[in-house]
Amino acid sequence: MSTDQLLFIRMFDVRLRSLKSKLIRVDKQSIVLVGVKMDDTKQTRRAFSREFKLSVVQWFYSNNKNVLQTSNHFKIDRKQVRTWVKAEEKIRKQKSKSMSERGRKAYFPRMEEKLVQQFKEQRKRGKTVKKWWFLSIARKIMNEEYPKDMVFKYSNRWFNGFCRRNRISLRRKTHIAQKSPATLKDPIQKFHAKLLRERIRGTFQLGDIANMDQTPLPFVLDDGRTYETTGADEVWCSSGASGLDKRQCTVQLTVFGDGVSRVRPTLIFRGEGKRIKPDERRSWDKRVNVYFQTNAWCDEVIMKKWTSDEWCNIFTNPATPGSSGKLLVADVHKAQQTDEVKRLLQKKNTVLVNVPPGCTSRVQPLDVVLNKPFKNLVREQFEKHLDENLNDYVEGKLTASKRRILTTKWVAIAWEKLMQDKEMVIRSFKKCGITTNVDGSENDKVNIRGMEGYTMPLPEEEYHLISEDEDDASSDSEIDDEEDLEDGEYELDDDDNEQ
């Protein structure tokens, strides 16, 4: 071998060893050199429990205090072994199964201690706790406990650290079933039989068949979750609500079997509406209809107004050529059962078919499919406004007038987005057995929740299930809606006046 070849091999060997010394990690995804990152692979930091640390320390003393053997046995760094050996006494004082204390310490421990105490009292009473509640109470405590010139930012970083330090997390509420599906099979079959009879008697297109329903709408929509102590076995909330969680209004929605929106959402606010300023009225979204009632309920007066203003509006909800009229599916809410309302609907060629009590969450399209995505869309608008105007919520600057205006806009936007999915609306009617073909050819599309194997009545069977003179049962409740019970009974806010 020549001298030049030997020299080349030596130089190559030196460069290779230099490269190896710089190599930190080689894996299938990336090669990382000192000062050079080949990709964005992120390493996660490991967390060790108190029991694991003590087992490392015990193994260390049981094996001649050999740091190298201990680190190799547990596959951890040698420095970590030495640190835990020195801190053995401190580790033993930690709580069982606790992880190492990481993150920032509380800058205002007195405030956080009182905040945790009030949070636990809220949860003991079954109150739902949201992020804005923590920020509002924290600001109040800061003003009481610390000097006025003390600067404190109520940032997401602080809030996340506060929850981590106090083992608080966002949890979903537990629910209990209200009624057995088996007890509802007979009334549901009678409902479908009556609906089938009316459809055979008349001539109704998909755009003639509608479902109307009322549901309470608080300003802060409950998403079924609340902050609770991490690890709690049960997350319960009382039915009562307070503050922004109370009923802001009742929203009345109407959908049609062909998925086309013909009737505006109706909002029923509390009060008489006599002291509403013209500026506020002009600020309401024109895509919704607004009424006022003493308790924010849909009563007979509101129902008659809605029938005349919205349902019988020939410009937005005209009669279909060749049709025998309209068919309206609704629950047995008291306001919809009065003789005057029934006569008014009959005068407008509308057949009213009532959903039996307790069955709305199984055979009413709005309850079964549409109300949930609608409320989610309204909640998105609320959360967006909350992020952009957090101080207004914390400092209580949102007046009843501002809340009404915002509600009209959020409902209008949510409804417009929901109605863009026509197929979802059409499927909801088929799923509930409202608009399936009368000859039974689409009965396989019916899917009643909790009733596997449910069969729709055939045309020749419907007269055996119901009689001509059978009256619909009425309910004394203002809103007989199982879906509303699951969402919680929202009370009215005493200070939610019209000003």
Side-chain angles (χ1 to χ4, degrees):
M1 188 177 293
S2 64
T3 306
D4 292 339
Q5 289 176 329
L6 289 172
L7 180 61
F8 174 77
I9 291 173
R10 180 171 295 178
M11 291 175 61
F12 179 78
D13 183 56
V14 171
R15 291 178 63 84
L16 183 61
R17 280 184 291 170
S18 176
L19 181 64
K20 286 183 177 181
S21 65
K22 294 179 181 181
L23 187 64
I24 295 177
R25 188 178 77 252
V26 180
D27 56 28
K28 294 180 180 180
Q29 297 179 346
S30 63
I31 299 177
V32 182
L33 303 178
V34 173
V36 181
K37 187 173 182 180
M38 306 302 291
D39 71 353
D40 293 330
T41 303
K42 185 178 179 180
Q43 288 182 305
T44 57
R45 186 177 181 182
R46 297 172 64 188
F48 303 97
S49 65
R50 168 183 176 273
E51 285 69 21
F52 179 80
K53 296 174 185 177
L54 293 178
S55 65
V56 171
V57 173
Q58 184 179 0
W59 202 92
F60 168 78
Y61 284 116
S62 301
N63 289 270
N64 300 321
K65 300 182 180 181
N66 192 311
V67 176
L68 180 61
Q69 288 183 5
T70 306
S71 64
N72 291 338
H73 179 76
F74 291 96
K75 296 180 181 180
I76 56 177
D77 191 76
R78 286 175 289 178
K79 183 180 179 181
Q80 194 73 75
V81 176
R82 287 192 288 267
T83 301
W84 291 345
V85 170
K86 291 180 180 178
E88 180 184 1
E89 185 177 350
K90 182 180 178 181
I91 294 173
R92 291 189 181 278
K93 292 180 180 180
Q94 293 178 358
K95 294 181 180 179
S96 179
K97 296 183 180 181
S98 65
M99 312 303 279
S100 58
E101 297 179 1
R102 291 197 174 98
R104 295 186 174 187
K105 302 289 185 182
Y107 286 113
F108 303 96
R110 294 202 312 275
M111 181 272 288
E112 292 198 5
E113 184 179 348
K114 287 195 171 185
L115 183 59
V116 171
Q117 184 179 356
Q118 292 193 33
F119 160 71
K120 291 181 178 179
E121 291 175 357
Q122 282 285 98
R123 290 301 303 130
K124 283 182 180 179
R125 295 196 297 268
K127 299 297 183 182
T128 300
V129 178
K130 299 293 185 181
K131 179 180 176 180
W132 62 268
W133 181 90
F134 282 106
L135 302 182
S136 177
I137 300 301
R139 173 166 293 191
K140 181 180 178 181
I141 297 174
M142 283 292 297
N143 293 335
E144 295 174 353
E145 295 291 328
Y146 295 91
K148 300 295 183 182
D149 57 349
M150 184 73 70
V151 179
F152 178 65
K153 295 182 178 180
Y154 304 88
S155 62
N156 289 332
R157 185 174 182 179
W158 166 79
F159 181 70
N160 293 335
F162 165 77
C163 291
R164 185 177 61 252
R165 285 189 291 272
N166 297 282
R167 296 181 61 78
I168 297 172
S169 57
L170 192 60
R171 304 281 303 280
R172 186 162 295 279
K173 293 186 290 186
T174 55
H175 294 278
I176 300 176
Q178 294 175 346
K179 289 187 179 180
S180 170
T183 63
L184 302 176
K185 183 177 180 180
D186 185 58
I188 288 178
Q189 280 203 320
K190 289 183 178 180
F191 160 74
H192 280 140
K194 180 176 181 180
L195 184 65
L196 182 60
R197 181 185 67 187
E198 298 296 345
R199 292 183 63 194
I200 292 175
R201 281 178 171 179
T203 304
F204 301 102
Q205 303 297 324
L206 290 181
D208 299 324
I209 304 174
N211 174 219
M212 181 267 291
D213 183 38
Q214 304 90 12
T215 183
L217 190 70
F219 187 73
V220 177
L221 274 167
D222 184 11
D223 60 354
R225 297 187 297 174
T226 180
Y227 280 94
E228 177 61 284
T229 304
T230 303
D233 295 331
E234 185 179 11
V235 184
W236 76 280
C237 290
S238 60
S239 59
S242 59
L244 299 180
D245 291 340
K246 291 184 177 180
R247 182 201 299 260
Q248 169 74 7
C249 65
T250 292
V251 59
Q252 183 166 298
L253 305 175
T254 309
V255 288
F256 289 81
D258 61 353
V260 177
S261 177
R262 296 179 176 86
V263 177
R264 295 181 299 171
T266 295
L267 294 174
I268 307 169
F269 291 105
R270 181 192 184 194
E272 297 180 357
K274 296 180 179 179
R275 294 183 292 171
I276 302 299
K277 297 179 180 178
D279 289 342
E280 180 188 338
R281 291 183 182 275
R282 287 191 293 268
S283 300
W284 293 342
D285 199 295
K286 300 302 184 290
R287 292 169 292 179
V288 300
N289 184 33
V290 176
Y291 294 134
F292 283 86
Q293 198 269 349
T294 307
N295 297 309
W297 291 340
C298 178
D299 57 11
E300 183 181 7
V301 175
I302 296 294
M303 193 64 196
K304 289 166 65 177
K305 285 183 180 179
W306 175 84
T307 303
S308 301
D309 299 343
E310 298 295 323
W311 180 253
C312 297
N313 190 321
I314 60 174
F315 298 103
T316 58
N317 189 24
T320 305
S323 171
S324 58
K326 301 284 184 180
L327 194 153
L328 181 61
V329 176
D331 58 28
V332 290
H333 174 36
K334 184 178 179 180
Q336 295 151 194
Q337 302 301 310
T338 64
D339 293 335
E340 283 198 51
V341 170
K342 288 182 178 180
R343 279 196 296 269
L344 183 58
L345 289 173
Q346 188 177 9
K347 184 179 178 181
K348 303 299 182 180
N349 293 326
T350 299
V351 178
L352 179 63
V353 179
N354 292 116
V355 178
C359 301
T360 56
S361 64
R362 288 175 169 81
V363 293
Q364 185 162 244
L366 279 165
D367 283 339
V368 174
V369 177
L370 303 174
N371 275 348
K372 183 176 181 181
F374 168 74
K375 288 189 175 183
N376 288 340
L377 290 170
V378 176
R379 186 182 298 113
E380 286 180 7
Q381 298 301 315
F382 158 72
E383 291 175 350
K384 180 181 177 182
H385 187 267
L386 175 64
D387 292 338
E388 296 172 354
N389 305 272
L390 182 60
N391 285 337
D392 291 346
Y393 288 82
V394 173
E395 297 174 5
K397 293 182 178 179
L398 289 174
T399 63
S401 176
K402 288 183 179 179
R403 296 203 300 270
R404 283 192 293 266
I405 295 172
L406 287 171
T407 301
T408 64
K409 297 183 182 301
W410 295 346
V411 168
I413 294 172
W415 185 249
E416 195 171 72
K417 289 183 177 180
L418 184 70
M419 289 296 100
Q420 291 175 0
D421 194 348
K422 284 180 58 176
E423 290 300 318
M424 180 176 66
V425 179
I426 294 172
R427 287 196 305 269
S428 69
F429 277 80
K430 303 284 186 184
K431 177 183 174 72
C432 296
I434 307 296
T435 57
T436 51
N437 292 336
V438 294
D439 60 4
S441 59
E442 290 184 320
N443 285 355
D444 59 318
K445 296 182 179 180
V446 179
N447 184 11
I448 308 301
R449 180 173 64 88
M451 296 185 184
E452 187 176 354
Y454 175 83
T455 56
M456 290 280 290
L458 297 175
E460 61 271 15
E461 299 174 342
E462 53 98 5
Y463 287 104
H464 297 289
L465 291 173
I466 59 175
S467 58
E468 289 290 337
D469 58 349
E470 181 177 1
D471 295 328
D472 293 309
S474 62
S475 174
D476 292 334
S477 62
E478 286 298 332
I479 296 182
D480 181 13
D481 191 335
E482 187 173 338
E483 187 268 340
D484 295 338
L485 293 175
E486 292 174 356
D487 284 347
E489 298 175 358
Y490 297 99
E491 299 176 2
L492 293 170
D493 197 349
D494 294 335
D495 61 356
D496 192 13
N497 52 52
E498 296 175 8
Q499 293 297 325

